[in-house]
Amino acid sequence: MDLQLAGRRILITGASSGIGLATATMLAHEGARLALCARDEERLRAAIAEIAEVADVVTATCDVTDRASVDTFVGTAVDHFGGLDGVVCNAGRSLMRTLDETTDEEIRDEFDLKIFGALNVVRAARKALADSDAAAVVIVNAILSRQPERQLAVTAAARAGLLNLSRSLAADLADDGIRVNSVLLGLIDTGQWQRRYVSSGTDVTFGAWSAEIAADRGIALGRFGTADELAFPVTTLLSPRNSYMTGAALEVGGGVHRYV
Ligand code: NDP
């Protein structure tokens, strides 16, 4: 099936690793033109070297919590492509800590990253998206937004706020013909989990270590997802063929949810 993404101009935050990189790769092979950012531009350039061989790509150093930095990145992308058709708000990480171990500053930083990390990008891109004939925003969020975990209380609260905000954005931006949907992740094998595996000091393989966590969390499929398995739902939500879907939250967690 033709997803009608050829020539579409898509901006992705946090594209140097994991889900952002896998999504950029899939979109490049669909013929999309890409604006990609991360804080470490050298790592970003190295990660997207193969994408740059098949697609028209703009890269930038950008911290999504810094509004001026986001405005500059979005402005550069709009100038280069002459507009934008899609945005993927993906940049981020989780704060794995109990409430007692978390400082006030860390709590504020977490809300800053989750809320402004998406809002700064959507606000900067709104005008350009409004000029597109098929504009879409995808917000990468987590099932944690509906189902908190003890070690992730602050991240879960910030994600719940982001999920709620995404619904408001879908309602507000519908006036400009812009669809806004969320993808809610379970546990996905990316840089975040590879770093946790290394710092755990375990001597078992990543597969065995992650299977134990998957069992503990009650993931029906018994394993972590892969970045490619997330790239597909994100890509299809960007497709103009998904024209009647907005304000939705798509769960991709291998059956981890414990509610109906
Ligand atoms: P990775 O660590 O593999 O990649 C994160 C990307 O985001 C990197 O490119 C990183 O580059 C960039 N990034 C981080 N902070 C910022 C920032 N402030 N401004 C700009 N770029 C930033 O993570 P994942 O692919 O796993 O995560 C993607 C998204 O999915 C994140 O929002 C994450 O919280 C969420 N998620 C992931 C889950 C999982 O199990 N993997 C579960 C639930 C949600 P750099 O460091 O150079 O800035």
Side-chain angles (χ1 to χ4, degrees):
M1 178 189 286
D2 178 8
L3 293 176
Q4 299 175 354
L5 287 164
R8 294 272 166 196
R9 303 150 299 180
I10 314 284
L11 180 145
I12 305 174
T13 66
S16 62
S17 167
I19 293 143
L21 179 59
T23 302
T25 305
M26 194 166 280
L27 285 167
H29 289 289
E30 289 296 319
R33 304 163 76 194
L34 301 168
L36 309 173
C37 84
R39 289 166 303 177
D40 182 340
E41 197 178 356
E42 204 174 312
R43 187 168 79 117
L44 174 65
R45 279 182 195 278
I48 61 119
E50 284 179 26
I51 296 176
E53 284 174 17
V54 295
D56 181 6
V57 179
V58 178
T59 61
T61 307
C62 172
D63 183 336
V64 291
T65 62
D66 176 356
R67 191 163 181 183
S69 161
V70 172
D71 286 350
T72 303
F73 169 47
V74 173
T76 303
V78 171
D79 286 349
H80 180 83
F81 297 131
L84 276 180
D85 302 295
V87 164
V88 182
C89 299
N90 164 75
R93 51 141 173 78
S94 303
L95 181 66
M96 207 167 214
R97 212 71 63 80
T98 64
L99 269 178
D100 284 346
E101 293 164 346
T102 314
T103 65
D104 288 3
E105 194 182 351
E106 286 171 329
I107 294 172
R108 288 196 187 91
D109 283 351
E110 194 61 2
F111 275 81
D112 208 24
L113 178 59
K114 299 294 181 292
I115 303 297
F116 283 103
L119 199 52
N120 284 340
V121 182
V122 172
R123 286 200 288 213
R126 180 174 183 160
K127 191 174 174 307
L129 289 172
D131 291 338
S132 166
D133 62 346
V137 173
V138 178
I139 297 186
V140 177
N141 200 339
I143 292 173
L144 201 60
S145 60
R146 291 174 165 165
Q147 182 172 288
E149 299 278 345
R150 194 167 167 269
Q151 288 268 337
L152 289 158
V154 174
T155 293
R159 290 202 176 289
L162 177 60
L163 180 60
N164 195 290
L165 179 67
S166 305
R167 293 293 291 268
S168 297
L169 287 171
D172 287 358
L173 273 60
D175 293 343
D176 288 337
I178 305 167
R179 298 181 299 107
V180 182
N181 293 291
S182 301
V183 177
L184 307 185
L185 282 59
L187 305 189
I188 312 303
D189 173 9
T190 62
Q192 293 196 43
W193 281 101
Q194 292 291 340
R195 287 191 293 275
R196 281 179 200 149
Y197 167 66
V198 170
S199 62
S200 76
T202 178
D203 51 11
V204 301
T205 62
F206 179 81
W209 179 80
S210 59
E212 200 173 310
I213 296 173
D216 181 56
R217 299 279 180 94
I219 298 178
L221 293 182
R223 63 171 176 87
F224 283 20
T226 66
D228 283 343
E229 287 173 314
L230 264 298
F232 184 68
V234 173
T235 298
T236 53
L237 284 174
L238 290 167
S239 167
R241 286 190 177 271
N242 235 330
S243 50
Y244 198 57
M245 197 164 169
T246 196
L250 195 60
E251 292 191 6
V252 190
V256 72
H257 35 267
R258 294 191 292 269
Y259 53 86
V260 176

